[in-house]
Amino acid sequence: MAQTTYIEIEGQRVKKLPARSGKRTNAGQQHVFVIGSKGIPARYGGFETFAEKLTKYRKSSRLRYHVARMAEDSLRYEYNEAECFDIKTPPIGAARAVWYDIAALRAGILWCREHPEVKRPVFYVLACRIGPWIGGFKKRIKQLGGRLYVNPDGHEWKRRKWNRLIRCYWKWSERLMAKHADQMVCDSVCIQKYIKAEYARYGVKTVYIAYGGDDDMNSAAGKGACAARGGRDAAEEKAAAEEKNAAEEKSAADKKSAAEEKAAAEEKGAADKKFAEWLAKTRTTAKGYYLAVGRLVPENNAQIMIREFMASDTKRDFVILSTPNAPFLKKLEKKLHFSRDRRIKFAEAVYDAGLLKKIRENACGYFHGHEVGGTNPSLLEALASTEVNLLLDVKFNREVAGVGALYWTKEAGNLADRIAAADRMSREEIRAIGERARRRIAKAYRWEEIVRRYETLFLKGSAPGSTDQAADGIKMGDGRDAAGYPAGQASCGAVRAVSGRIGGV
């Protein structure tokens, strides 16, 4: 019998698998290939977190996940009972993600060909990067009897960080992905409405399944998943429990409870220590700062948030957690001279989930300036952890937060007024708006429910609920398309020249 080998990836212990397995797989399972995330174990990133939760909270033993991972090797390993396969990806700049998606999808199709016992595999592609090649892949998937699902993510083609040619490529690629997908899985109702209206000529099918919020609200889901993987159903567990001596059962429960309490106390102590160190390093105090988390890119509106904060009279700090972007900061400094305001503090991005949660919980308020939808994971985390959230007033943010936040516009003085209003809020008002935000997350963005809907989609071909459902209170009008943009705004002719020849299908 071969010895099991364990290795460490992203700080997690995983089971190494043979480089190539000719062994027959379970033909009775529904095999699902997740393509487009950077892989699991997740360190950060929306799609990476999604793949982590999808596999972690799996309940149905009829599902077998295969998750691609961008890497510098070709390892295969098992994590969260999913078969993960590394795709050795060359460092070719912005085209690296496109190359990776093509190679990962090709690898998944090859695996299915090597395992003809697998019927009707599902290929779930995250984001619309590989539209020029998806038609050829769709033919191969159809030959396997499989299905192609695509998550369109947000309006990548509207991001100002891209030049016009690249934005045109994104729009063209999105159109081709929508044309060939068996179903577009949208995590935002606004994005779903946009996809249905923009690509109606293709008869595109859509379904709305939200992205998940804070993990603490999903502890029951985690316990349920662990129980499901024990290999015994509820009746078997009950029968086994009844056979135990009551005294032994109580003793075991007491020991487990004590161990859990000790572990929780140690974890809390470690998190408190890290947070204290972070406060000292950042030169601020608990509840003494407003917070923003995100990349320093134009569509996240850091310039407006800093400008308005500088115009406010608040005594609190403004802490911005982000990855370094020296050129962007240099431009901001030239325009705003923010370095003269000691309240504004830039800090390194935090990838420790426990520490980041503490930072969010102890912020007096959170600024969210993202304007390019769909659902932003950072906003969900903020609504679950920070009591007062001040959001840019765009439909994507209103769809997520509803009445659980304050809203601001880009108009000069508007956010500064909201900051003053937030500073004046009573403890009762702060508690009430924070509770509304948490209720919103618990009701609409629970990982347990989201994973259940995905499992139904993968097993039955449709998710619970109507594919045409819309968020309460989201209305479109003014003669524009469903996403609120003039129809065809981003269309470009002869954009195919952008694609080059990254790889054939």
Side-chain angles (χ1 to χ4, degrees):
M1 183 176 180
Q3 184 177 2
T4 301
T5 302
Y6 290 91
I7 58 176
E8 187 173 297
I9 293 178
E10 297 292 353
Q12 298 293 323
R13 190 168 178 258
V14 303
K15 184 169 74 174
K16 187 177 181 181
L17 298 176
R20 179 68 72 181
S21 174
K23 181 180 176 182
R24 283 180 61 86
T25 189
N26 188 339
Q29 288 183 306
Q30 174 64 66
H31 291 259
V32 179
F33 292 80
V34 180
I35 308 295
S37 80
K38 290 184 176 67
I40 55 176
R43 186 186 177 198
Y44 57 87
F47 281 143
E48 292 70 44
T49 300
F50 162 74
E52 178 96 20
K53 305 307 182 188
L54 181 70
T55 54
K56 177 181 178 181
Y57 293 144
R58 177 181 66 84
K59 288 186 173 62
S60 176
S61 59
R62 294 169 55 200
L63 284 165
R64 176 65 168 172
Y65 290 112
H66 304 255
V67 183
R69 176 173 173 265
M70 183 184 289
E72 297 177 358
D73 53 54
S74 301
L75 283 173
R76 291 176 65 252
Y77 58 94
E78 187 175 271
Y79 175 72
N80 281 352
E81 294 190 4
E83 184 173 318
C84 304
F85 56 103
D86 283 2
I87 299 296
K88 190 173 182 179
T89 313
I92 53 176
R96 190 179 190 219
V98 177
W99 194 100
Y100 163 67
D101 284 1
I102 291 171
L105 192 50
R106 184 185 291 129
I109 291 172
L110 177 61
W111 187 92
C112 290
R113 286 177 171 173
E114 293 174 346
H115 296 81
E117 67 275 13
V118 171
K119 309 298 182 184
R120 290 180 55 80
V122 171
F123 294 87
Y124 187 27
V125 180
L126 307 174
C128 295
R129 287 181 285 260
I130 56 172
W133 297 270
I134 202 64
F137 280 123
K138 177 62 183 294
K139 291 177 182 177
R140 295 183 176 190
I141 291 170
K142 190 173 182 181
Q143 290 169 358
L144 295 169
R147 289 167 283 163
L148 172 65
Y149 296 156
V150 174
N151 186 313
D153 197 15
H155 290 318
E156 192 69 27
W157 50 270
K158 284 191 68 70
R159 295 192 185 278
R160 284 172 276 165
K161 69 175 183 178
W162 303 122
N163 62 41
R164 184 175 181 274
L165 198 60
I166 293 177
R167 288 200 298 270
C168 287
Y169 170 82
W170 273 108
K171 182 65 175 176
W172 175 48
S173 184
E174 176 188 87
R175 177 176 67 80
L176 294 173
M177 297 293 280
K179 177 181 179 180
H180 293 289
D182 290 302
Q183 195 146 219
M184 299 290 278
V185 185
C186 308
D187 58 29
S188 161
V189 172
C190 290
I191 293 294
Q192 182 192 26
K193 285 176 171 286
Y194 157 75
I195 292 291
K196 285 181 69 67
E198 186 76 359
Y199 304 114
R201 61 190 181 277
Y202 300 131
V204 62
K205 294 181 180 179
T206 68
V207 62
Y208 166 69
I209 305 180
Y211 186 88
D214 190 271
D215 219 28
D216 285 353
M217 297 183 178
N218 299 280
S219 57
K223 292 175 183 176
C226 291
R229 294 180 190 184
R232 300 183 300 176
D233 59 22
E236 291 174 324
E237 289 187 350
K238 182 179 179 181
E242 289 174 349
E243 293 176 3
K244 293 182 178 181
N245 179 276
E248 290 179 351
E249 187 177 277
K250 184 178 185 301
S251 176
D254 288 344
K255 288 179 181 179
K256 182 179 180 181
S257 178
E260 289 177 344
E261 288 179 6
K262 182 180 179 182
E266 290 175 350
E267 185 176 344
K268 183 179 183 302
D272 288 344
K273 182 180 179 181
K274 288 180 180 179
F275 179 60
E277 292 172 347
W278 180 85
L279 286 174
K281 183 178 180 181
T282 312
R283 303 186 310 282
T284 191
T285 59
K287 295 298 181 181
Y289 59 92
Y290 285 94
L291 179 70
V293 179
R295 291 173 298 168
L296 294 172
V297 292
E299 58 269 14
N300 290 354
N301 291 294
Q303 179 176 333
I304 293 175
M305 292 189 291
I306 294 172
R307 180 197 73 197
E308 293 296 296
F309 188 86
M310 292 176 67
S312 76
D313 294 325
T314 184
K315 303 301 182 185
R316 293 172 165 129
D317 295 326
F318 180 21
V319 178
I320 303 169
L321 297 183
S322 183
T323 52
N325 189 338
F328 187 81
L329 285 179
K330 188 175 180 179
K331 290 180 181 178
L332 278 187
E333 174 62 23
K334 188 174 181 180
K335 291 179 179 179
L336 304 175
H337 306 291
F338 63 81
S339 63
R340 300 175 186 174
D341 192 328
R342 294 184 178 181
R343 299 172 301 169
I344 297 173
K345 304 176 186 296
F346 286 88
E348 296 177 357
V350 174
Y351 299 116
D352 181 319
L355 174 57
L356 182 55
K357 184 173 174 60
K358 291 286 289 185
I359 293 170
R360 289 186 181 280
E361 289 173 342
N362 285 278
C364 63
Y366 180 79
F367 297 155
H368 188 76
H370 294 50
E371 64 178 307
V372 177
T375 302
N376 184 267
S378 183
L379 174 56
L380 296 177
E381 293 170 9
L383 292 169
S385 303
T386 310
E387 289 181 306
V388 180
N389 292 278
L390 298 93
L391 318 181
L392 179 62
D393 194 358
V394 294
K395 56 186 160 294
F396 301 110
N397 294 338
R398 280 196 177 270
E399 175 191 327
V400 173
V403 296
L406 305 177
Y407 295 89
W408 51 273
T409 70
K410 295 182 181 182
E411 182 183 354
N414 187 269
L415 177 54
D417 289 343
R418 295 295 183 275
I419 293 170
D423 280 350
R424 292 193 301 266
M425 290 175 71
S426 67
R427 182 60 234 168
E428 182 58 28
E429 289 172 327
I430 291 172
R431 186 204 62 77
I433 195 170
E435 183 59 31
R436 289 198 296 271
R438 287 189 292 273
R439 279 202 304 266
R440 174 67 179 150
I441 295 297
K443 179 181 179 181
Y445 298 98
R446 292 172 56 242
W447 278 116
E448 181 179 27
E449 173 62 17
I450 290 161
V451 170
R452 182 185 73 84
R453 287 173 61 81
Y454 266 107
E455 292 194 354
T456 303
L457 174 67
F458 293 147
L459 291 169
K460 298 183 179 180
S462 62
S466 169
T467 57
D468 296 318
Q469 75 180 94
D472 293 339
I474 302 295
K475 296 181 180 180
M476 305 297 171
D478 71 13
R480 296 178 170 231
D481 69 17
Y485 303 114
Q489 175 178 319
S491 60
C492 299
V495 74
R496 290 170 178 80
V498 181
S499 66
R501 183 66 179 170
I502 296 176
V505 297

